[in-house]
Amino acid sequence: DVQMTQSPSYLAASPGESVSISCKASKSISNNLAWYQEKPGKANKLLIHSGSTLQSGTPSRFSGSGSGTDFTLTIRSLESEDFAVYYCQQYNEYPWTFGGGTKLELK
Amino acid sequence: EVQLVESGGGLVQPGRSLKLSCAASGFTFSNYYMAWVRQAPKKGLEWVATISTSGSRTYYPDSVKGRFTISRDNAKSSLYLQMNSLKSEDTATYYCARHDLRGDYFDYWGQGVMVTVSS
């Protein structure tokens, strides 16, 4: 199975700051990577697919980059609604696997 | 508006069975692959099962293969997960999710239903 390793596990930041979350695959997954946002009491939200393509409705302050084994989710100018847990997922091969998550907390 | 609403969760003893349901609305259900994804307490997400549009093809990870069965009723816009021989490690929140048409990622999720396997 492709192991997905996210770092950091926890990240504290303030509104207006920019943050980056790393996701590393144990083998090349081309650009077959998605990012999701998890918030309490809400359904998980697809933010980005194909490594860097914003899903319709995702604010432009979110961006994704990378290919192969190394990927990054960047959020510029954090807003209060961005404090959540973020997961990456590879869909290059079965079984599809997720990273362990990064909790973005308010500093 | 796309909505996915899970039901059928609860407390079940090890070795017993449970069937989850997901009611879909707001889209043409029969056009989409559908999936179940779970999250054990304080753990990450784990893909559990996927079913093709007609139901003729199903996919599972080794952790549940042979114990779980995904199915669908397109006439009722409903997705199901039959879980047999349940183990304590199956304790999790189970999410119904829709596969995006363009790839094997999930563009809509339900809010989940809790399954606890314990004696």
Side-chain angles (χ1 to χ4, degrees):
Chain A
D1 298 2
V2 180
Q3 304 302 315
M4 304 300 293
T5 303
Q6 280 184 242
S7 60
S9 298
Y10 296 92
L11 183 56
S14 301
E17 293 184 350
S18 294
V19 297
S20 291
I21 298 169
S22 171
C23 179
K24 294 185 184 292
S26 60
K27 61 189 284 190
S28 178
I29 58 170
S30 185
N31 68 337
N32 295 313
L33 184 101
W35 289 97
Y36 302 92
Q37 179 189 67
E38 175 190 273
K39 298 176 79 171
K42 292 194 171 185
N44 291 346
K45 180 181 179 183
L46 171 67
L47 298 173
I48 288 169
H49 64 84
S50 305
S52 60
T53 302
L54 264 60
Q55 177 70 354
S56 175
T58 301
S60 59
R61 62 181 180 275
F62 288 85
S63 64
S65 63
S67 66
T69 60
D70 291 352
F71 299 85
T72 302
L73 173 68
T74 300
I75 313 172
R76 293 182 292 103
S77 301
L78 279 167
E79 299 194 5
S80 57
E81 68 209 46
D82 300 335
F83 293 94
V85 180
Y86 294 88
Y87 292 94
C88 60
Q89 177 227 338
Q90 69 81 20
Y91 52 94
N92 190 63
E93 63 180 62
Y94 293 108
W96 302 308
T97 47
F98 293 84
T102 295
K103 186 173 186 179
L104 176 58
E105 297 181 317
L106 183 62
K107 188 185 293 183
Chain B
E1 178 193 6
V2 172
Q3 285 199 311
L4 300 170
V5 180
E6 303 92 340
S7 62
L11 175 64
V12 60
Q13 293 179 328
R16 304 297 291 263
S17 300
L18 195 66
K19 186 173 185 177
L20 305 182
S21 299
C22 171
S25 61
F27 65 102
T28 304
F29 181 73
S30 58
N31 286 351
Y32 289 84
Y33 277 47
M34 296 295 296
W36 290 95
V37 178
R38 69 184 179 184
Q39 185 171 30
K42 302 199 184 301
K43 300 278 188 175
L45 297 164
E46 179 186 17
W47 165 69
V48 170
T50 284
I51 189 167
S52 63
T53 51
S54 65
S56 61
R57 292 186 299 277
T58 57
Y59 308 86
Y60 308 91
D62 287 345
S63 58
V64 307
K65 195 177 294 182
R67 298 189 300 122
F68 288 13
T69 302
I70 188 172
S71 61
R72 65 192 297 161
D73 185 335
N74 286 340
K76 294 183 177 180
S77 295
S78 292
L79 180 72
Y80 306 101
L81 184 68
Q82 176 68 47
M83 303 184 291
N84 298 332
S85 303
L86 281 161
K87 307 175 182 179
S88 58
E89 51 262 44
D90 295 319
T91 294
T93 298
Y94 285 74
Y95 298 97
C96 170
R98 190 181 84 170
H99 275 273
D100 192 280
L101 286 172
R102 295 161 294 183
D104 291 326
Y105 47 91
F106 311 105
D107 63 353
Y108 285 95
W109 298 63
Q111 293 209 20
V113 63
M114 184 67 199
V115 172
T116 302
V117 183
S118 175
S119 55

